[in-house]
């Protein structure tokens, strides 16, 4: 019996182990799969083309007769079970068909249990390994690179080249030093897989993927089609990361994390009660309020307006949620130039926000591309912008104009607690009597001396205590069988859960015998369809009746 267990996730990509009863293999990896699956070479009818018609697949495709790996096809009924190794034959042909690549992948991910190893035979080259692992494949063989060697092709992560390039010194591996093309190509694949593994560990595989795809138009297209399938990609992504998000390319604005943040600002977030909004530029330092420019802005506004930061690629960041990932954890190249696509994307976010949260006055303390975006959104919504910049936003003239525009407006306290809880848990709470205490990220929400929430230093998310969960009447619950958790909650013990739960979300575990608070280590879909793995990292447990 085979066993597959995930150790670390980054979207669809996993670091995992696969055990076949005789050995334990750390994935992702390239192996001699003839030794791992000796019966595969004698199997018939598992190699049906991905583009075959449904009738052909129905008549001829075979998943195999019990031997690992279990073959799957986008048009065949799934038969894989938890722990299996899933084989997708001919996946190398999908690399040249970006639209079908994304569609086939989504269909297979829907039908195959999430706790299965994914094997793409004869597909992995140094130039394709990153994309394949990003797509959720774990296991590869050396057939593709050996074929390239037979064709006298020199393989690098940047692409495939004539063998003569081997003599130019671009690589100094053992194979190159010995003049052995086969050894070089195999080592190049191994090194690329090792590099991808490192980026998964660091939670930054997307940044590597955006860089790697630049060498191939087909890979850029595949990445864009995957991003368009928001439902498939978003449910596998953590709600927050403890590392900065690098938004370095045009593809960055299409990341599912960015759309999720924007959608929550528009659909969940409850702004501080006021009739006046002021649009402010972003800053290099995060969170913005720690920057010198934003200290000037905050002193000038002096609580007389709701502060909204216009930024690329996130679009709009209310002051209340500036510490939450990715708003408090992103890096973006600063050039002062916003291209047309970027402006349209961010203007749409602003327009949707103002349609959901109308203000009687909107002041734009912006310049350059940010001001252009605000003007586009205002025109779309029929809003009259009041522009207060007189040159640079932090100039004395600009700050004086902003101060003058806010003269006579009533002051109010920015409700960070209400805004954060709404964004995180999709619920509006009454914050009367609550206070936010502490310094910087070492903060907690209290009612008198009773702690309701602590704040995660790395992500900005609220961590409810049992008393805090009483303020969140529904949602973000994980239901378990009749047992008292003695440590973490494993996937087999879960009966049901809120479908909105994502990896990294704070959850309340509910069972007939106990309650527990903790952090989700899987998304809801994986919790319900997996038979192995830690589903919730428990922080505190309480027996019912105590």
């Amino acid at each position: 019996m085979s066993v597959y267990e995930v150790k670390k996730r980054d979207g669809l990509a996993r670091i995992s182990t696969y055990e076949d009863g005789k050995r334990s293999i750390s994935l992702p990896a390239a192996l001699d799969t003839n030794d791992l699956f000796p019966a595969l070479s004698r199997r018939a009818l598992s190699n049906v083309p991905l583009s075959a018609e449904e009738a052909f697949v129905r008549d001829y495709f075979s998943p195999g007769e019990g031997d690992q790996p279990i073959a799957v096809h986008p048009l065949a009924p799934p038969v894989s079970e938890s722990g299996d190794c899933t084989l997708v034959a001919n996946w190398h042909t999908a690399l040249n068909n970006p639209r079908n690549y994304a569609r086939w992948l989504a269909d297979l991910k829907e039908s195959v249990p999430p706790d299965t190893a994914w094997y793409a035979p004869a597909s992995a080259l140094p130039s394709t390994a990153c994309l394949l692992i990003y797509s959720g494949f774990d296991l590869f063989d050396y057939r593709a690179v050996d074929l390239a060697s037979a064709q006298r092709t020199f393989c690098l992560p940047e692409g495939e080249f004539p063998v003569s390039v081997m003599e130019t010194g671009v690589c100094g591996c053992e194979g190159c030093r010995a003049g052995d093309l086969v050894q070089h190509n195999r080592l190049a694949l191994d090194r690329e897989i090792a590099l991808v593994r490192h980026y998964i560990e660091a939670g930054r595989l997307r940044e590597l993927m955006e860089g790697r795809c630049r060498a191939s138009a087909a890979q850029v297209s595949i990445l864009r089609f995957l991003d368009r399938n928001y439902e498939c990609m978003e449910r596998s992504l953590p709600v927050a990361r403890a590392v900065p998000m690098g938004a370095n390319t045009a593809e960055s604005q299409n990341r599912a994390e960015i759309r999720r943040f924007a959608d929550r600002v528009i659909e969940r977030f409850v702004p501080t009660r006021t009739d006046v909004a002021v649009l402010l530029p972003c800053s290099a330092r995060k969170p913005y309020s720690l920057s010198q420019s934003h200290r000037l802005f905050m002193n000038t506004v002096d609580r007389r307006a709701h502060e909204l930061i216009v930024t690329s690629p996130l679009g709009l960041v209310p002051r209340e949620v500036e510490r939450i990932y990715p708003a408090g954890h992103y890096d973006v190249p600063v050039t002062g130039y916003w291209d047309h696509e970027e402006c349209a994307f961010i203007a749409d976010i602003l327009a949707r926000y103002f349609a959901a949260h109308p203000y009687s006055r909107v002041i734009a303390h912006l310049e350059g591309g940010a001001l252009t975006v605000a003007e586009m959104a205002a025109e779309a919504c029929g809003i009259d912008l009041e522009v207060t910049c007189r040159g640079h936003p932090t100039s004395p003239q600009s700050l004086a104009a902003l101060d003058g525009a806010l003269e006579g407006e009533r002051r109010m306290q920015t409700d960070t607690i209400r805004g954060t809880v709404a964004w995180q848990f999709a619920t509006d709470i009454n914050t009367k009597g609550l206070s936010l205490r502490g310094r910087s990220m070492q903060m907690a929400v209290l009612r008198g001396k009773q702690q309701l929430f602590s704040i995660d230093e790395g992500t900005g998310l609220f961590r409810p205590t049992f008393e805090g969960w009483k303020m969140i009447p529904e949602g973000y619950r994980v239901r378990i069988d009749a047992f008292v958790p003695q440590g973490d909650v494993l996937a087999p013990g879960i009966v049901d859960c809120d479908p909105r739960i994502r990896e990294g979300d704070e959850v309340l575990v509910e069972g007939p015998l106990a309650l527990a608070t903790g952090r989700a280590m899987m998304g809801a879909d994986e919790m319900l369809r997996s038979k192995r793995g830690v589903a919730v990292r428990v922080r505190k447990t309480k027996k019912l009746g105590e």
Side-chain angles (χ1 to χ4, degrees), residues 387-458:
V387 180
T388 54
C389 263
R390 306 292 185 263
H392 194 274
T394 59
S395 70
Q397 296 85 353
S398 294
L399 295 176
L402 177 59
D403 182 54
L406 292 171
E407 186 175 355
E409 295 292 346
R410 65 180 181 87
R411 288 180 172 82
M412 47 75 197
Q413 188 65 43
T414 300
D415 201 339
T416 299
I417 300 171
R418 186 184 185 206
T420 301
V421 170
W423 187 96
Q424 185 175 345
F425 296 107
T427 189
D428 188 10
I429 67 171
N430 182 358
T431 58
K432 185 177 181 180
L434 306 188
S435 60
L436 189 61
R437 300 180 190 173
R439 293 183 177 181
S440 186
M441 301 301 287
Q442 298 282 348
M443 294 187 291
V445 177
L446 291 86
R447 181 195 290 121
K449 294 184 178 180
Q450 184 180 59
Q451 181 171 310
L452 302 176
F453 304 92
S454 61
I455 297 180
D456 187 295
E457 296 179 41

Side-chain angles (χ1 to χ4, degrees), residues 348-374:
D348 177 67
I349 293 175
L350 265 66
R352 289 166 57 206
Y353 177 85
F354 287 130
H357 306 289
Y359 298 85
S360 61
R361 296 178 65 195
V362 178
I363 299 169
H365 194 71
L366 304 168
E367 64 172 347
L371 179 58
T372 300
V373 163

Side-chain angles (χ1 to χ4, degrees), residues 442-514:
Q442 298 282 348
M443 294 187 291
V445 177
L446 291 86
R447 181 195 290 121
K449 294 184 178 180
Q450 184 180 59
Q451 181 171 310
L452 302 176
F453 304 92
S454 61
I455 297 180
D456 187 295
E457 296 179 41
T459 65
L461 296 177
F462 280 16
R463 296 182 295 208
T465 63
F466 288 118
E467 288 301 313
W469 277 111
K470 292 178 182 179
M471 301 191 69
I472 304 169
E474 59 184 12
Y476 291 87
R477 265 62 170 180
V478 175
R479 291 178 174 80
I480 60 173
D481 281 326
F483 66 92
V484 178
Q486 303 296 316
D488 298 328
V489 175
L490 304 181
I494 292 176
V495 176
D496 196 10
C497 65
D498 186 340
R500 297 173 296 181
I501 291 172
R502 299 293 179 262
E503 179 188 350
D505 268 322
E506 294 295 323
V507 296
L508 177 65
V509 179
E510 297 179 323
L513 303 180

Side-chain angles (χ1 to χ4, degrees), residues 218-258:
Q219 290 197 32
V220 173
S221 297
I222 288 171
L223 186 60
R224 291 175 179 176
F225 277 113
L226 289 175
D227 285 340
R228 289 183 187 180
N229 196 328
Y230 174 74
E231 289 74 16
C232 176
M233 300 304 291
E234 185 273 335
R235 71 185 180 195
S236 67
L237 291 168
V239 71
R241 303 176 191 266
V243 295
M245 181 184 74
N248 300 320
T249 73
E251 278 65 48
S252 296
Q253 71 181 22
N254 299 320
R255 291 177 66 150
E257 291 118 310
I258 289 175

Side-chain angles (χ1 to χ4, degrees), residues 90-159:
N90 299 299
W91 193 253
H92 63 284
T93 63
L95 290 163
N96 295 318
N97 195 328
R99 188 185 301 272
N100 282 343
Y101 186 106
R103 179 170 58 84
W104 289 334
L105 184 69
D107 290 345
L108 291 170
K109 288 294 181 183
E110 288 278 355
S111 62
V112 175
D115 53 344
T116 58
W118 280 56
Y119 171 33
S123 297
L125 295 168
S127 62
T128 62
C130 184
L131 175 60
L132 291 170
I133 298 171
Y134 179 83
S135 303
F137 287 92
D138 309 281
L139 179 60
F140 312 99
D141 52 40
Y142 292 109
R143 290 183 174 87
V145 289
D146 287 350
L147 177 60
S149 299
Q151 296 171 334
R152 307 299 292 164
T153 299
F154 182 72
C155 298
L156 291 172
E158 294 78 11

